[in-house]
Amino acid sequence: MEEKEISQAVIGRLPRYFRYLSELKYAGIERVSSQELSDIMKVTASQIRQDFNNFGGFGQQGYGYNVEFLHNEIGKILGLDRTHHLIIIGAGNLGQALANYVNFERRGFLFRGLFDNNSELHGKKIWGIEVQPMENMEVFVKENNIDIAVLTIPKTEAVTVAEQLVEYGIKGIWNFAHVDLNVPENIQVENVHLSDSLMKLSYNISRFESDNTK
Ligand code: NAI
């Protein structure tokens, strides 16, 4: 496939395409047109065609897309054709909730370890995974082919822990701490702010109310 810079907006839409295609695939649907995808996803058909053209286009005009092929191709682009091995740092409320959410496994994200600096949590099992002391982290990361670390620790701790993880060879960080991490360019960071989504919801409620009181 031709290598070119794909915009973050397009990349941001790929997981959604992938999810809808998963549903179509599991419903036994074999073909879908861009118009049908557009109706389900509430994205214009031309937007869908433009997005797919970034990857050489996946379908044939007038014939629609083969659901399984498109699902597999988008999965490959998203790197979901391989298994990722994750550890969670911070076994508090959020860390435990993530460890308990089994559906990540279906997409090939395997939670392998859970670490915390609170000795009272050590040995506790969350979804079969034992919470370990931070001192075990280096060897664990190296011996278990861990490529992603999930940071669910306070922001005051996150920068230092991220630096350690980089040193141990981690490739990506799923960062829930509300702080910008200082990591080299070859380390991928995805910051998650649930509150951003909530603020967007709040904005939409306000906009809807003001539009309907005019
Ligand atoms: P929590 O207090 O329940 O859990 C934090 C855990 O981190 C504790 O078990 C603590 O012992 C551990 N910890 C603290 N320092 C550590 C270190 N240096 N090394 C290893 N473990 C350490 O907090 P909660 O509610 O689980 O939140 C965790 C973090 O996630 C906070 O920074 C919070 O602000 C953030 N958060 C972010 C959200 C988002 O949307 N990005 C949503 C909710 C929480």
Side-chain angles (χ1 to χ4, degrees):
M1 193 183 296
E2 190 189 335
E3 282 287 325
K4 64 174 182 177
E5 191 71 34
I6 312 291
S7 80
Q8 286 298 318
V10 176
I11 295 164
R13 282 192 287 274
L14 290 182
R16 210 163 152 249
Y17 288 127
F18 185 81
R19 267 193 292 115
Y20 280 98
L21 287 161
S22 301
E23 285 174 19
L24 294 176
K25 184 178 156 185
Y26 291 112
I29 294 164
E30 289 175 7
R31 299 218 156 259
V32 65
S33 67
S34 43
Q35 189 52 53
E36 285 165 327
L37 261 184
S38 151
D39 293 341
I40 315 171
M41 294 194 48
K42 313 271 187 279
V43 175
T44 64
S46 99
Q47 174 80 78
I48 290 173
R49 283 190 295 268
Q50 264 180 44
D51 284 352
F52 291 176
N53 279 340
N54 282 288
F55 307 99
F58 298 116
Q60 291 167 34
Q61 290 279 324
Y63 188 61
Y65 301 98
N66 175 308
V67 169
E68 185 161 7
F69 175 75
L70 191 54
H71 180 258
N72 288 345
E73 290 303 303
I74 294 180
K76 277 189 230 163
I77 293 166
L78 288 169
L80 302 177
D81 54 337
R82 53 191 259 213
T83 302
H84 294 281
H85 299 271
L86 285 74
I87 54 168
I88 299 175
I89 327 295
N93 293 311
L94 188 55
Q96 294 196 23
L98 291 173
N100 270 312
Y101 185 63
V102 286
N103 268 0
F104 292 126
E105 286 205 359
R106 279 184 33 219
R107 301 267 184 255
F109 296 98
L110 306 184
F111 282 117
R112 303 289 307 281
L114 203 45
F115 294 84
D116 203 289
N117 69 355
N118 177 356
S119 59
E120 285 177 21
L121 292 172
H122 299 156
K124 180 175 175 181
K125 280 196 173 168
I126 319 289
W127 197 251
I129 305 171
E130 201 170 292
V131 181
Q132 300 185 57
M134 294 298 281
E135 295 71 41
N136 293 3
M137 195 166 74
E138 178 170 6
V139 172
F140 191 90
V141 166
K142 290 178 178 165
E143 286 186 351
N144 291 280
N145 199 19
I146 304 297
D147 56 343
I148 298 179
V150 185
L151 284 189
T152 49
I153 50 178
K155 64 178 179 185
T156 47
E157 308 289 316
V159 174
T160 314
V161 171
E163 281 167 5
Q164 284 174 350
L165 288 161
V166 169
E167 209 183 297
Y168 303 159
I170 220 88
K171 293 185 182 145
I173 299 179
W174 200 23
N175 178 33
F176 286 83
H178 299 289
V179 64
D180 289 329
L181 303 176
N182 181 23
V183 294
E185 265 182 24
N186 61 324
I187 307 299
Q188 310 307 315
V189 177
E190 183 63 28
N191 296 307
V192 184
H193 297 295
L194 296 179
S195 52
D196 287 5
S197 172
L198 210 46
M199 285 189 268
K200 233 165 88 186
L201 177 64
S202 160
Y203 166 80
N204 285 328
I205 292 172
S206 305
R207 199 190 54 177
F208 183 83
E209 284 176 351
S210 74
D211 285 354
N212 284 281
T213 49
K214 274 179 195 159

